[in-house]
Amino acid sequence: MRLSVPSQTVDLQDPIFLAHRGGKLRTSTTVPLDSREDLSVAYTPGVARVCEAIAADESLARTHTWRSNVVAVVTDGTAVLGLGDIGPAASLPVMEGKAALFRQFADVDAVPICLDTKDPDEIVAAVAAIAPSFGGINLEDIAAPRCFDIEDRLKAMLDIPVFHDDQHGTAVVVLAALTNALRLQDRRAEDLTVTVVGAGAAGVAITKILTEAGVGDVVVCDSTGIIHEGRGRLNAVKARLAASTNRAGRRGDVTEALRGADVLVGVSGGSIPESALAGMAPDAIVFALANPTPEVDPEVAHRHAAIVATGRSDYPNQINNVLAFPGIFRGALDAGAPQITEAMKLAAAQAIADIAADDLAADRIVPSPLDPRVAPAVAAAVKAAS
């Protein structure tokens, strides 16, 4: 069911609306089109020779079309920012913005694709059908749990990278931030208990990457409480979480999940009471990433935690996906990689962490999203890991 957005008076002269008027993207040519000769080279008859060559050897599409540098940003509009299911048309400004970030930070061209269907089979079929025009697929703002199935099926079908940024981009930056928080505190990942509050797209991917990185134990909490083996009514994704997390067998609510925990990663959009934070271990680390309203107010979090991060740009330590996805795709495209592997994600996280390592402080555990060093470093690490 589509979200009902309250009616509002819109001032079309507001600077925000003026900036979006006409959209934020356009295409441009890379060859001259000033003469008959130019036209004959870029279009007919010259283009026919390139078409024939690609028909004989499809690998030439990578080097003689834009395919090697263009990504489709695909959504169904069901989980857009904190707005929820607002539909494909209303999601287009976000997808345009995503495409603009690709171009700005990694020199990657990107095309917004907003699909007017929520059916996973139709989404998979549509993306597979347009895939020959693209070098990679960035899935965006598709609600869980459908997003997991859609990504898995497309990865199995296609020979180009498929990457759901809400899952993996967030997870990569969380791991980078945690890496530097541990550097500051001289602690080891294997000694940690991490509580992830939220078992949607981001929460599942964060849990997976933290486990891959060697975190001692991860406890995942959804709206019902702690996910554990034997809990009823778990979907397939949560059942896999139950089998691979919560080694101590904890049960109960978020307060119990945080009791003695070293790290909180909030990706739920809900609210966590201060009394639950009070039960965390000394020198706790809190990443409250719901946007625009964190699960815990940062000032409250600081009463109980040594290091605090949010998803907002007006607080220190912003966990922002733009630190990850441009460089990850740049590296994958440059490598001609058919997929983005766990090793590539881990390499991306390490590259982000290393950029901030020389100037670490409790309020500087990740670089700025505007730091021009980030995307090239991530791209180089991802390409090497491929």
Side-chain angles (χ1 to χ4, degrees):
M1 182 176 180
R2 185 154 298 167
L3 179 72
S4 177
V5 179
S7 61
Q8 56 178 310
T9 301
V10 175
D11 177 6
L12 297 181
Q13 299 306 307
D14 181 285
I16 296 293
F17 282 87
L18 290 175
H20 286 77
R21 185 175 178 84
K24 301 185 288 289
L25 302 172
R26 64 180 180 183
T27 57
S28 61
T29 60
T30 61
V31 296
L33 294 172
D34 301 320
S35 67
R36 287 178 178 272
E37 182 180 0
D38 292 341
L39 290 175
S40 70
V41 169
Y43 199 52
T44 184
V47 71
R49 293 171 56 193
V50 181
C51 294
E52 289 172 337
I54 294 172
D57 179 3
E58 194 169 316
S59 68
L60 290 174
R62 171 173 166 75
T63 55
H64 288 75
T65 71
W66 77 339
R67 183 175 175 180
S68 64
N69 198 59
V70 67
V71 170
V73 180
V74 180
T75 190
D76 64 356
T78 55
V80 182
L81 302 177
L83 302 175
D85 182 358
I86 59 174
S91 72
L92 184 54
V94 177
M95 302 309 121
E96 287 184 359
K98 190 83 171 198
L101 296 175
F102 268 114
R103 161 52 61 184
Q104 177 69 23
F105 293 108
D107 199 28
V108 170
D109 294 310
V111 178
I113 306 290
C114 300
L115 299 174
D116 192 10
T117 177
K118 300 178 187 178
D119 185 293
D121 292 340
E122 292 183 359
I123 293 171
V124 168
V127 174
I130 65 172
S133 294
F134 298 95
I137 305 294
N138 182 103
L139 300 174
E140 192 76 19
D141 292 346
I142 299 173
R146 295 196 324 278
C147 61
F148 304 115
D149 175 58
I150 290 167
E151 184 188 39
D152 288 344
R153 290 167 63 185
L154 287 171
K155 286 169 68 175
M157 293 172 65
L158 302 180
D159 61 354
I160 58 175
V162 177
F163 184 84
H164 185 203
D165 185 50
D166 303 291
Q167 293 184 60
H168 311 300
T170 304
V172 165
V173 184
V174 165
L175 178 57
L178 182 59
T179 298
N180 278 344
L182 297 183
R183 280 172 167 166
L184 270 177
Q185 296 185 340
D186 194 24
R187 300 167 76 181
R188 302 185 308 169
E190 55 263 40
D191 297 330
L192 297 180
T193 296
V194 176
T195 297
V196 176
V197 178
V204 171
I206 289 166
T207 300
K208 184 175 182 179
I209 202 169
L210 294 182
T211 303
E212 291 277 346
V215 164
D217 194 16
V218 181
V219 178
V220 184
C221 206
D222 64 8
S223 58
T224 301
I226 296 173
I227 294 175
H228 58 82
E229 288 190 289
R231 202 186 95 177
R233 303 183 68 179
L234 295 176
N235 62 32
V237 173
K238 292 182 181 181
R240 288 195 293 271
L241 284 177
S244 61
T245 63
N246 191 14
R247 294 176 184 172
R250 297 188 188 206
R251 303 184 178 213
D253 60 10
V254 68
T255 298
E256 183 58 35
L258 285 171
R259 195 179 309 280
D262 302 290
V263 181
L264 160 65
V265 180
V267 282
S268 67
S271 178
I272 298 173
E274 183 175 0
S275 58
L277 289 186
M280 295 183 71
D283 296 319
I285 299 165
V286 170
F287 297 168
L289 305 183
N291 215 342
T293 305
E295 291 86 353
V296 182
D297 183 275
E299 293 184 7
V300 173
H302 273 296
R303 296 174 193 159
H304 306 280
I307 296 174
V308 176
T310 73
R312 292 176 52 137
S313 60
D314 53 348
Y315 288 105
N317 295 331
Q318 184 189 15
I319 307 296
N320 191 322
N321 290 18
V322 77
L323 289 167
F325 71 82
I328 289 174
F329 268 98
R330 176 77 278 159
L333 292 171
D334 289 347
Q339 60 181 312
I340 295 169
T341 64
E342 292 304 312
M344 294 159 78
K345 296 171 201 171
L346 291 171
Q350 190 64 54
I352 295 167
D354 287 347
I355 287 172
D358 291 338
D359 191 30
L360 279 185
D363 61 353
R364 290 194 304 276
I365 59 172
V366 288
S368 163
L370 299 175
D371 190 323
R373 301 172 296 168
V374 174
V378 171
V382 167
K383 184 178 180 180
S386 72

